[in-house]
Amino acid sequence: MTAPIPPDDPAQMHALGALLGEWMPYIQRFWGATIVIKYGGAAMSSRVLQEGFARDVVLLQLVGMRPVIVHGGGPQVTAMMGRLGMDATFVGGHRVTDEETLEVAKMVLVGKVNKDLVGLIHRHGGTAIGLSGEDARLLVTEPIDQRDEAGRPLDIGLVGQVQEVHTEALELLSGSIIPIVASIGADATGQTRNVNADIAAGALAAALKAEMLLMVTDVPGVLSPTEDGESPLEECRLKELDALEAAGCVSGGMIPKVAAVRAALRAGVGSAHIIDGRQEHALLLEVLTDAGCGTRVAV
Ligand SMILES: Nc1ncnc2c1ncn2[C@@H]1O[C@H](COP(=O)(O)OP(=O)(O)OP(=O)(O)O)[C@@H](O)[C@H]1O
Ligand SMILES: [Mg+2]
């Protein structure tokens, strides 16, 4: 809990007033707008971070936005696999998924992480509903077309890419209930597939024609090489992100993020943001202030 500002400290009261004033144009601009927030497992590492995230989401809804949350839970799935004596393998940022891995991923993401997030939103005064991509055919998937560096097809098991998005169930909620979506989908035959949560969020943002796609993760943005190492980009165009990827500066979990940003922006989403969920109030800073706190990507 942040300590209250003493009312007899005029400098701090003035700064607080100025900050609230800075929010106003952003509230006016985004009032009624759908914002898809991808909450990465990497940014859920403590209860304090999760509480802060839930509080910020509820506040964004209170000031008129329509948040839709899509969550990952990679570290949580890997931890459960470890407890069960299973090994986790990744290719191109995707978890190689056999039947048993899928069973664990579904239990952890849909049964645990999803419901914990619903409870957190309720604790902070909002109302949420937990869904997976299988509910109401929200995310219809097909086997992912994964390639190796030479362009040859790679079999990574029961991993899906999004083929169709059916948003009717979300429309029924009419903005008053916050949907929280676990990134599990099914194909037309009913076969469940594990979907990378970034890919799910990008597809959902595109289908909902969201104003914004926010990806909350554990890095301060998209890191780009500099003379003394690397630093996060504040703003970039999609083509700069393409160039960064072509130069080999995007790896692991950032690969599906870049793909999701590309899909969302090409479908008309206004902007995509990769932000650091370890920073307190990352969401509020990025959405409601001039400063922001991550990488903002626009077409
Ligand atoms: N250029 C880059 N800039 C920033 N991060 C990068 C870059 N290239 C690779 N990464 C990696 O991407 C990781 C973020 O993706 P990761 O999949 O681990 O987390 P997440 O997507 O937030 O969580 P989850 O997969 O559970 O949803 C970073 O921790 C970093 O190691
Ligand atoms: Mg990831």
Side-chain angles (χ1 to χ4, degrees), residues 48-107:
V48 174
L49 287 181
Q50 294 175 17
E51 295 274 358
F53 172 82
R55 201 175 48 224
D56 287 359
V57 169
V58 172
L59 184 60
L60 290 177
Q61 189 197 34
L62 283 173
V63 296
M65 294 167 211
R66 292 175 166 221
V68 173
I69 299 171
V70 180
H71 65 85
Q76 294 75 1
V77 174
T78 301
M80 183 57 81
M81 288 177 72
R83 281 164 68 181
L84 297 168
M86 298 161 69
D87 289 324
T89 318
F90 292 86
V91 171
H94 295 277
R95 182 182 302 272
V96 177
T97 306
D98 61 10
E99 292 275 358
E100 280 194 333
T101 304
L102 181 65
E103 204 177 340
V104 176
K106 190 167 170 174
M107 286 194 300

Side-chain angles (χ1 to χ4, degrees), residues 38-43 71-76 196-198 216-219 221-224 244 249-254 257:
K38 189 275 173 150
Y39 190 26
H71 65 85
Q76 294 75 1
N196 178 280
D198 302 325
V216 184
T217 184
D218 66 344
V219 278
V222 180
L223 301 171
S224 169
L244 204 62
C249 302
V250 170
S251 60
M254 193 52 64
K257 274 185 228 310

Side-chain angles (χ1 to χ4, degrees), residues 22-151:
E22 192 179 317
W23 284 17
M24 193 173 158
Y26 293 98
I27 294 174
Q28 283 171 327
R29 182 162 148 209
F30 297 129
W31 198 90
T34 298
I35 56 171
V36 173
I37 304 169
K38 189 275 173 150
Y39 190 26
M44 290 176 198
S45 58
S46 75
R47 182 79 187 177
V48 174
L49 287 181
Q50 294 175 17
E51 295 274 358
F53 172 82
R55 201 175 48 224
D56 287 359
V57 169
V58 172
L59 184 60
L60 290 177
Q61 189 197 34
L62 283 173
V63 296
M65 294 167 211
R66 292 175 166 221
V68 173
I69 299 171
V70 180
H71 65 85
Q76 294 75 1
V77 174
T78 301
M80 183 57 81
M81 288 177 72
R83 281 164 68 181
L84 297 168
M86 298 161 69
D87 289 324
T89 318
F90 292 86
V91 171
H94 295 277
R95 182 182 302 272
V96 177
T97 306
D98 61 10
E99 292 275 358
E100 280 194 333
T101 304
L102 181 65
E103 204 177 340
V104 176
K106 190 167 170 174
M107 286 194 300
V108 171
L109 297 177
V110 183
K112 171 88 173 89
V113 176
N114 188 273
K115 298 307 160 198
D116 285 353
L117 289 175
V118 169
L120 276 165
I121 294 289
H122 292 168
R123 251 173 67 73
H124 289 279
T127 302
I129 186 165
L131 301 163
S132 95
E134 289 189 282
D135 290 304
R137 306 201 313 126
L138 190 55
L139 300 173
V140 177
T141 63
E142 59 188 354
I144 193 168
D145 180 17
Q146 187 70 27
R147 304 270 161 164
D148 68 11
E149 278 164 15

